[in-house]
């Protein structure tokens, strides 16, 4: 379908269309509309703001970035207004925060909810984007900002019989409100970050909980604890330093990253350092705050693993259950943390199914069948089976750049992006958290990317450019740089969503920049100072 055929007018409806009302889209709207005075329209298929935190309303949903850095930094007054009382912030409070942001900056007047964007085509003749929605409307804009989310397209594994299930069936990434659990037999498939949070919260609420685990996980306590008013006041006083720390760090969190190697200290000291991190809490803190080589040195990695394995053995009373829960592979997925996950397996109403030994073979009207022929009878099945990460939402939309090339074709050998924000052949289109952006606490990454996008858009507007895009060479250079940085990372040796390995048939590709938040900030500053080397800036064709 040629979306442009219907639209003879060369004047776009909007200067910019933003898709997505999560952290990224809200900030992009604020930046382009309020700071640059552009006419901006935002669409989201959800009925409210929040993105991740609108959709993931499952019990136990919590950010495991510390509260004081899981927010925007761009507005000092907003930082001072935000009150909190726990070291980590849960889903209802993040959603309330993002609603507050939307109200505070009067963003809703530029947002159309319940509106999915089904297609976006770049019209080369007129240098504008033509956007179609599931409401049957068509809009045009000079710039398109895709703030579609990197953990947003839900993944249902291909298990036969899912539709036949007669009980309640949910996915954590599309979770309804007000589900009741009392007395019910609940089965949860998946033990990633989400599964750990969900299972821990559900265990005391359900009649019986069956955890279907395929890969055992290394997890440490999150350490969520009350924060006093005095501590909050201190944080607010020190926000300038806190953000400077975040924006010059590797991972973008509040903790201090370690500068010492695992084997630079005695075994006793090492144990004490792990123990301190265990007591403090935080998955990223355990992986990056204890020693600086856990993610890159297999021997160092094994030391960190051994400590967690001992903790599992100490915690879980039944030795056979403990054995099934204990991982033996590398500790090189997104580092996990929990609020008492291993402890739930000491409860009499919780059982564990080892799906490595006995994979799930089918879903029947009354439960889940495993390869040993057992029917696990259930009233409710919850899929905590993750997402088609990073490029998922770009493939479900009919997104086309120059020469009508679809994004699906463009990324058929794996998704690529220049600094996570642009890809060649898609002019005037800017991604937030697109491929090859930072692997970090994400609000700071989002802010850096939106600031960069804002700068490019301002330049295009100032210089009256018809089109701005990254060249294929510049993009390839950045991707090669990302590949280089990931060499030696143990993350590349383990199957997880970080490399797209969780989706059958998806090409296994690196889609993150492992250089760190601080380095990324410097790269962005260099790009701006040097006037966007490697970018193609097209002037409008002069008319007589
Ligand atoms: P999202 O919040 O995903 O928003 C994208 C929006 O785009 C959605 O509202 C979606 O409806 C909309 N959209 C997509 N496609 C279309 C379309 N075609 N038409 C219309 N609308 C569309 N990050 C951290 O840094 N720390 C954490 O502790 C952390 N915990 C997480 C826990 C969970 C359970 C999940 C799922 C993610 C977590 N994340 C965490 C990542 C989190 O996604 C980001 O921190 C952040 O919320 C992403 O914001 P976003 O605006 O980029 O994307
Ligand atoms: P993840 O981390 O992708 O976890 C998905 C889980 O689902 C994981 O344990 C998978 O096992 C499991 N899974 C997937 N398919 C199956 C089948 N067929 N049978 C059994 N188990 C299965 O998603 P999350 O939502 O937990 O977390 C994603 C990110 O969102 C997270 O890092 C946070 O940043 C928020 P596997 O490990 O593949 O063996």
């Amino acid at each position: 379908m040629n979306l442009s055929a219907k639209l003879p007018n060369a004047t776009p409806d909007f200067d910019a269309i933003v898709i997505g009302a999560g952290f990224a889209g809200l900030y992009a709207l604020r930046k382009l509309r309020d700071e640059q005075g552009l006419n901006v329209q935002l669409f989201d298929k959800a009925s409210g703001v929040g993105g991740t935190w609108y959709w993931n309303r499952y019990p136990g949903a919590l950010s495991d970035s510390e509260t004081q850095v899981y927010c925007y930094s761009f507005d000092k007054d907003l930082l001072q207004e935000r009150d909190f009382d726990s070291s980590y912030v849960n889903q209802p409070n993040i959603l309330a925060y993002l609603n507050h942001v939307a109200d505070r900056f009067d963003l809703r007047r530029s947002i159309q909810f319940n509106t999915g964007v089904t297609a976006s085509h770049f019209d080369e003749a007129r240098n504008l984007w033509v956007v179609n929605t599931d409401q049957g409307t068509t809009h045009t804009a000079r710039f398109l900002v895709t703030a579609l989310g990197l953990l947003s397209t839900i993944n249902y594994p291909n298990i036969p019989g899912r539709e036949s299930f007669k009980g309640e069936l949910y996915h954590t990434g599309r979770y309804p409100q007000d589900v009741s659990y009392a007395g019910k037999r609940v089965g949860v498939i998946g033990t990633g970050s989400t599964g750990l949070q969900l299972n821990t919260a559900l265990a005391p609420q359900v009649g019986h909980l069956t955890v279907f685990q395929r890969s055992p996980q290394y997890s440490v306590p999150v350490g969520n604890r009350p924060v006093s008013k005095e501590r909050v006041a201190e944080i607010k006083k020190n926000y300038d330093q806190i953000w400077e720390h975040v924006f010059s760090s590797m991972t973008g969190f509040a903790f201090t990253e370690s500068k010492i190697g695992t084997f630079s200290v005695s075994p006793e000291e090492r144990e004490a350092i792990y123990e301190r991190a265990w007591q403090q809490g935080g998955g990223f803190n355990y992986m990056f705050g204890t020693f600086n080589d856990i993610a890159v040195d297999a021997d160092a990695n094994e030391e960190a693993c051994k400590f967690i394995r001992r903790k599992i053995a100490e915690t879980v009373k039944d030795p056979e259950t403990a054995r099934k829960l204990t991982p033996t592979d590398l500790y090189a997925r997104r580092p996990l943390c929990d609020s008492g996950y291993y402890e739930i397996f000491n409860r009499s109403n919780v059982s564990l199914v080892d799906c490595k030994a006995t994979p799930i073979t089918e879903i029947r009207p009354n439960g889940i069948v495993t390869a040993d022929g057992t029917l696990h009878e259930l009233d409710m099945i919850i899929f905590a089976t993750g997402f088609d990460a990073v490029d998922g939402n770009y493939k479900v939309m009919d997104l086309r750049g120059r020469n009508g090339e679809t994004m699906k074709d463009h990324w058929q050998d794996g998704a690529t992006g220049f600094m996570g924000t642009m890809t060649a052949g898609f002019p005037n289109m800017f991604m937030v958290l697109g491929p090859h952006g930072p692997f970090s606490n994400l609000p700071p990454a989002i802010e850096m990317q939106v600031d960069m996008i804002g700068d490019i858009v301002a330049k295009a507007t100032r210089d009256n450019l018809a089109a701005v895009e990254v060249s294929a060479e510049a993009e390839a250079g950045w991707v090669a740089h990302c590949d280089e940085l990931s060499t030696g990372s143990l993350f590349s040796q383990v199957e997880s969503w970080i490399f797209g390995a969780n989706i059958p048939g998806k090409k296994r590709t690196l889609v993150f920049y492992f250089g760190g938040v601080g380095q990324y900030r410097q790269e962005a500053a260099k790009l701006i100072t040097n006037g966007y080397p490697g970018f193609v800036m097209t002037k409008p064709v002069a008319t007589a």
Side-chain angles (χ1 to χ4, degrees):
M1 180 183 43
N2 179 0
L3 297 185
S4 303
K6 292 199 254 169
L7 298 155
N9 196 342
T11 309
D13 303 332
F14 304 104
D15 295 317
I17 286 178
V18 177
I19 313 172
F23 265 99
L26 294 180
Y27 183 42
L29 172 57
R30 163 84 181 150
K31 171 140 302 254
L32 298 183
R33 188 193 70 178
D34 299 345
E35 289 181 23
Q36 301 197 5
L38 301 185
N39 176 16
V40 186
Q41 175 66 49
L42 188 153
F43 296 110
D44 199 307
K45 58 188 169 198
S47 66
V49 301
T52 289
W53 307 102
Y54 170 93
W55 295 109
N56 290 261
R57 295 169 193 238
Y58 60 85
L62 178 85
S63 161
D64 56 14
S65 304
E66 302 93 325
T67 305
Q68 70 269 29
V69 297
Y70 197 70
C71 58
Y72 296 112
S73 73
F74 72 85
D75 187 289
K76 289 195 178 186
D77 294 335
L78 178 63
L79 286 169
Q80 296 304 318
E81 279 165 17
R82 181 185 183 221
D83 274 319
F84 53 93
D85 57 11
S86 58
S87 51
Y88 293 88
V89 58
N90 64 18
Q91 176 272 329
N93 283 326
I94 304 170
L95 189 57
Y97 168 72
L98 289 171
N99 271 290
H100 170 70
V101 169
D103 292 335
R104 189 183 195 284
F105 297 110
D106 191 19
L107 299 179
R108 289 180 211 277
R109 68 182 157 87
S110 305
I111 304 179
Q112 190 173 316
F113 294 114
N114 301 305
T115 306
V117 172
T118 50
S120 302
H121 293 182
F122 185 66
D123 178 335
E124 289 191 73
R126 296 179 295 164
N127 286 307
L128 47 77
W129 281 92
V130 185
V131 170
N132 256 17
T133 74
D134 59 7
Q135 301 303 303
T137 55
T138 301
H139 312 270
T140 53
R142 194 162 159 213
F143 305 107
L144 180 69
V145 179
T146 52
L148 308 179
L150 86 172
L151 292 159
S152 176
T153 319
I154 57 172
N155 168 45
Y156 275 113
N158 192 12
I159 302 172
R162 176 158 55 92
E163 286 74 25
S164 74
F165 186 62
K166 291 278 184 269
E168 297 163 74
L169 190 146
Y170 307 115
H171 191 292
T172 52
R174 288 288 177 279
Y175 215 78
Q177 270 174 312
D178 304 326
V179 178
S180 70
Y181 305 99
K184 291 182 183 164
R185 297 162 304 172
V186 179
V188 173
I189 306 176
T191 54
S193 170
T194 301
L196 264 52
Q197 292 184 344
L198 174 70
N199 285 312
T200 309
L202 281 183
Q205 298 185 48
V206 301
H208 189 88
L209 174 68
T210 307
V211 178
F212 292 86
Q213 167 200 278
R214 191 162 64 186
S215 301
Q217 297 276 11
Y218 296 101
S219 182
V220 305
V222 64
N224 191 14
R225 47 179 71 90
V227 175
S228 66
K229 284 196 164 45
E230 292 71 34
R231 173 73 185 128
V232 173
E234 193 188 324
I235 288 170
K236 288 185 180 181
K237 217 169 96 205
N238 293 322
Y239 251 131
D240 285 350
Q241 292 97 300
I242 290 171
W243 289 120
E244 187 43 41
H245 162 80
V246 164
F247 283 107
S248 49
S249 72
M250 183 79 184
T251 54
F253 288 82
F255 66 85
T256 305
E257 288 145 4
S258 175
K259 293 195 167 43
I260 59 167
T262 298
F263 300 105
S264 68
V265 298
S266 68
E268 295 72 30
E269 212 175 317
R270 194 151 59 230
E271 185 79 3
I273 290 172
Y274 293 139
E275 183 62 37
R276 207 158 43 238
W278 183 273
Q279 297 304 332
Q280 253 169 17
F284 277 84
N285 182 34
Y286 184 81
M287 187 181 273
F288 296 99
T290 51
F291 297 103
N292 65 3
D293 49 3
I294 294 177
V296 291
D297 179 308
D299 293 333
N301 192 274
E302 176 59 14
E303 290 302 307
C305 293
K306 280 191 214 154
F307 182 85
I308 300 179
R309 289 190 203 117
R310 275 202 300 279
K311 288 289 187 187
I312 299 173
E314 284 166 19
T315 308
V316 181
K317 297 204 172 84
D318 173 45
E320 182 53 12
T321 306
R323 185 190 64 74
K324 289 181 190 164
L325 283 167
T326 304
T328 52
D329 56 350
L330 285 168
Y331 171 46
R333 296 166 174 229
R334 182 197 191 278
L336 303 188
C337 49
D338 65 81
S339 304
Y341 175 66
Y342 297 120
E343 282 87 343
I344 67 169
F345 294 94
N346 294 330
R347 298 176 62 98
S348 58
N349 72 333
V350 177
S351 49
L352 179 68
V353 174
D354 176 358
C355 297
K356 274 261 160 67
T358 54
I360 296 171
T361 51
E362 65 170 309
I363 294 176
R364 288 199 192 146
N366 54 346
I368 293 178
V369 181
T370 44
D372 56 356
T374 308
L375 168 67
H376 303 268
E377 286 194 56
L378 299 166
D379 305 306
M380 184 187 297
I381 299 177
I382 307 175
F383 284 79
T385 47
F387 304 89
D388 184 352
V390 183
D391 56 335
N393 272 338
Y394 289 82
K395 294 179 304 191
V396 290
M397 192 197 302
D398 174 12
L399 181 55
R400 300 182 196 199
R402 285 201 189 282
N403 305 315
E405 186 191 28
T406 66
M407 192 61 97
K408 236 187 195 155
D409 285 343
H410 184 62
W411 283 345
Q412 62 182 330
D413 293 326
T416 56
F418 177 78
M419 298 184 77
T421 59
M422 296 191 85
T423 186
F426 289 75
N428 295 355
M429 187 192 105
F430 306 98
M431 306 178 283
V432 193
L433 302 186
H436 297 103
F439 181 74
S440 67
N441 175 36
L442 289 171
I446 288 169
E447 285 195 325
M448 290 189 297
Q449 294 188 334
V450 172
D451 288 348
M452 200 168 100
I453 292 166
D455 192 80
I456 303 171
V457 167
K459 179 176 173 52
T461 307
R462 203 172 47 239
D463 297 353
N464 189 29
L465 298 175
V468 52
E469 60 199 297
V470 69
S471 68
E473 294 71 29
E475 183 179 354
W478 177 257
V479 170
H481 178 50
C482 290
D483 283 340
E484 214 176 287
L485 287 168
S486 80
T487 313
S489 165
L490 299 175
F491 274 64
S492 64
Q493 297 179 30
V494 170
E495 305 283 279
S496 81
W497 62 264
I498 295 169
F499 283 80
N502 62 328
I503 303 296
K506 186 167 177 174
K507 190 166 188 296
R508 204 176 184 289
T509 347
L510 170 75
V511 282
F512 285 100
Y513 168 74
F514 283 157
V517 170
Q519 196 61 39
Y520 183 91
R521 181 170 67 161
Q522 286 182 26
E523 294 277 4
K526 205 166 70 187
L527 186 79
I528 292 169
T529 312
N530 294 344
Y532 300 95
F535 274 51
V536 184
M537 314 273 183
T538 311
K539 291 273 182 197
V541 179
T543 45

